[in-house]
Amino acid sequence: MSKHSVSVTVNGTAHRSEVEARLLLVHYLRDELRLTGTHIGCDTTHCGACTVLLDGKPVKSCTLFAVQADGRSVSTVEGLELGGELHAVQKAFKEEHALQCGFCTPGMMMSAVALLERNPSPSELEIRQAISGNLCRCTGYVNIVKAIQHAAADMRATRHTPAYVPAQEPAQVSR
Amino acid sequence: MIPSSFDYLAPATLGEAVNLLHEHAGDAKILAGGQSLIPMLKLRLAEPALLIDINRIPGLGYVDERDGSLRIGALARESDLETASVVRQRYQILNDTTAVIADPLVRNSATVCGNIAHGDPGNDHPATMLALEATFVAVGPRGERRIAARDFFLGLFSTALNEDEILEEIVVPRPTAPAAGAYLKLERKVGDYATAGVAVQLTLDASGGCARAGIGLTNVGAMAIEAVRAQDFLRNKPLDSPTIAQAAEIAAGEADPIEDRRGSADYKRDVVRVLTARAIRIAANRAAGANIATPLPFTYSPSQAALRS
């Protein structure tokens, strides 16, 4: 067993921890940092419930070790809300009824946020491709696609600034 | 699921990584994208004592054309292939292939070289690299050596890489125009391995016939299969419907699938036949200048104009 000192910036806050090499990023987020918004669904790299942004790119946090995130920036669903205001994607998911049980929703929204930062006006096909690694067993995806289109329109209208924090000086250090 | 304990080292140079791998040969695995390795660790299908993470080594994430070849570095992600303009221009078969590998989240992490080095017959790049006559550059304690794609895949999860070698680079010779390819895959759902997949790369002669064909088959054998008889059959033939149909029959005969949840052996051979014919048509039309977008599994339709001869 090997222990490693890691420094990971999560939603703008730098965290320093001693982790075992085999600790998965999703377990680090949920068990060490108590950020339980990131869900574990299939645990086999299929369902995308555990999607987070690593330096702005969506990845499956069940298929990444915490040591690999050393020195890097992670964004989770908890970081979407800023100053008490929901992110445009969160608002749109609510307004378009884009969830039923809600289990896939955090991962689904992180994929949507990453898409809209890269492509402010995605086509329906581009949206469906972007969320093709996120499984939803309730909605049939129709309202999820609508919500992402809705959020895209809102973000274009309000010149939305990115909610995730790219790698930069940590705002504060905990632990 | 939690992997067995292991030690973890993240060397800063490729030389250090090779030394570590040599020192711990048989007990160590290279961690690049991790999208095959980490699931295997979690399922405890692999329990290496040491992971050597090469992600901290600078300068290995390139996809570029140099000296008449496309070069793909050890840390180039699948998503890098999707966005590289040189790939879109001259290596559309690689775009087709990347687009149907796993899903976009996995492709942000997964590496192209890892897809090759893993030796999984269900992986998609091996067939494409066979069709493109790619060369793989392996680096080990005794330096570099180059291995032709057709000599690389030895069997189920078995490749020509030695235990102390790292797949450093993929070299794809630049096709001499008029040339183009296509990769088609039948999958049950996004992220699934292929029921069958077919890679076709064609070079046309002055009259629009076939000067050279490269054909690779995915997941219909213990490793990716080069359909050499179908390739030989197509050489110096016109690309008309009877010829394409016959080449597709020959390729189906070269497939060696087993029955599983994705279908019977006969069904898979027939999928190879259908996909080979379609891939030849798309490749021929692209080589002749037609602009045919990457065919996605859920947009496949035999009535698409692109698929008609």
Side-chain angles (χ1 to χ4, degrees), chain B residues 11-34:
Chain B
T13 67
L14 198 55
E16 272 178 67
V18 166
N19 287 341
L20 284 170
L21 195 55
H22 181 60
E23 203 179 311
H24 299 272
D27 277 335
K29 291 296 283 183
I30 294 292
L31 173 61

Side-chain angles (χ1 to χ4, degrees), chain B residues 17 29 34 120 138 143 161 169 219 277:
Chain B
K29 291 296 283 183
D120 187 337
L161 273 186
E169 183 179 79
N219 218 14

Side-chain angles (χ1 to χ4, degrees), chain A residues 2 4 20-22 24 43-46 51 58-60 62-65 67-68 70 111 125 129 132-134, chain B residues 1 3-8 31 34-35 38-39 41-42 44 51 53 56 103-105 108-109 190 296 298:
Chain A
S2 63
H4 301 267
E20 212 184 319
R22 63 176 172 171
L24 296 164
D43 208 6
T44 55
T45 329
H46 287 94
T51 303
V59 297
K60 294 180 177 178
C62 79
T63 312
L64 189 77
F65 294 115
V67 281
Q68 294 180 271
D70 182 30
S111 284
L125 180 63
Q129 283 177 302
S132 60
N134 297 86
Chain B
M1 295 175 293
S4 294
S5 288
F6 52 80
D7 285 326
Y8 168 93
L31 173 61
Q35 301 301 288
I38 296 176
L41 296 175
K42 290 169 71 178
R44 306 215 177 184
L51 284 197
D53 182 355
R56 307 281 168 179
D103 61 55
L105 308 169
N108 281 337
S109 297
V190 168
L296 296 166
F298 51 90

Side-chain angles (χ1 to χ4, degrees), chain A residues 1-67:
Chain A
M1 186 170 90
S2 63
K3 282 272 191 179
H4 301 267
S5 177
V6 297
S7 170
V8 187
T9 300
V10 181
N11 301 328
T13 303
H15 299 270
R16 292 189 210 290
S17 309
E18 290 284 312
V19 298
E20 212 184 319
R22 63 176 172 171
L23 183 71
L24 296 164
L25 180 62
V26 70
H27 289 137
Y28 175 70
L29 294 171
R30 290 178 57 86
D31 302 341
E32 300 268 328
L33 304 186
R34 306 306 295 170
L35 293 171
T36 54
T38 302
H39 291 168
I40 300 171
C42 67
D43 208 6
T44 55
T45 329
H46 287 94
C47 79
C50 65
T51 303
V52 301
L53 308 191
L54 182 66
D55 291 339
K57 279 192 178 172
V59 297
K60 294 180 177 178
S61 63
C62 79
T63 312
L64 189 77
F65 294 115
V67 281

Side-chain angles (χ1 to χ4, degrees), chain B residues 31-144:
Chain B
L31 173 61
Q35 301 301 288
S36 296
L37 177 61
I38 296 176
M40 288 181 78
L41 296 175
K42 290 169 71 178
L43 293 165
R44 306 215 177 184
L45 295 171
E47 298 184 53
L50 172 67
L51 284 197
I52 302 167
D53 182 355
I54 61 171
N55 286 283
R56 307 281 168 179
I57 302 173
L60 295 180
Y62 54 86
V63 178
D64 56 26
E65 218 176 28
R66 267 178 286 152
D67 310 325
S69 297
L70 182 75
R71 286 156 200 277
I72 302 169
L75 288 178
R77 313 288 159 176
E78 296 292 351
S79 55
D80 296 327
L81 270 195
E82 291 177 89
T83 52
S85 58
V86 62
V87 174
R88 283 182 192 284
Q89 284 160 21
R90 273 190 289 280
Y91 306 88
Q92 217 175 349
I93 185 173
L94 286 172
N95 271 126
D96 294 357
T97 310
T98 300
V100 292
I101 290 173
D103 61 55
L105 308 169
V106 170
R107 294 199 291 271
N108 281 337
S109 297
T111 63
V112 185
C113 284
N115 191 285
I116 295 298
H118 188 41
D120 187 337
N123 281 355
D124 296 285
H125 280 305
T128 296
M129 297 303 171
L130 286 168
L132 285 167
E133 292 188 300
T135 300
F136 304 137
V137 181
V139 59
R142 288 162 300 282
E144 284 183 355

Side-chain angles (χ1 to χ4, degrees), chain B residues 147-162:
Chain B
I147 308 164
R150 66 166 56 111
D151 299 326
F152 187 80
F153 305 103
L154 303 180
L156 197 64
F157 295 102
S158 171
T159 72
L161 273 186
N162 292 326

Side-chain angles (χ1 to χ4, degrees), chain B residues 251-305:
Chain B
E254 291 180 85
D256 185 22
I258 54 164
E259 178 171 350
D260 62 14
R261 286 172 299 170
R262 295 183 183 86
S264 67
D266 282 347
Y267 169 69
K268 292 180 182 180
R269 267 191 292 271
D270 208 45
V271 172
V272 169
R273 181 183 64 78
V274 171
L275 295 186
T276 302
R278 290 184 190 176
I280 292 171
R281 290 199 170 101
I282 292 175
N285 282 316
R286 280 176 172 171
N291 181 15
I292 301 173
T294 284
L296 296 166
F298 51 90
T299 61
Y300 284 3
S301 161
S303 63
Q304 274 178 274

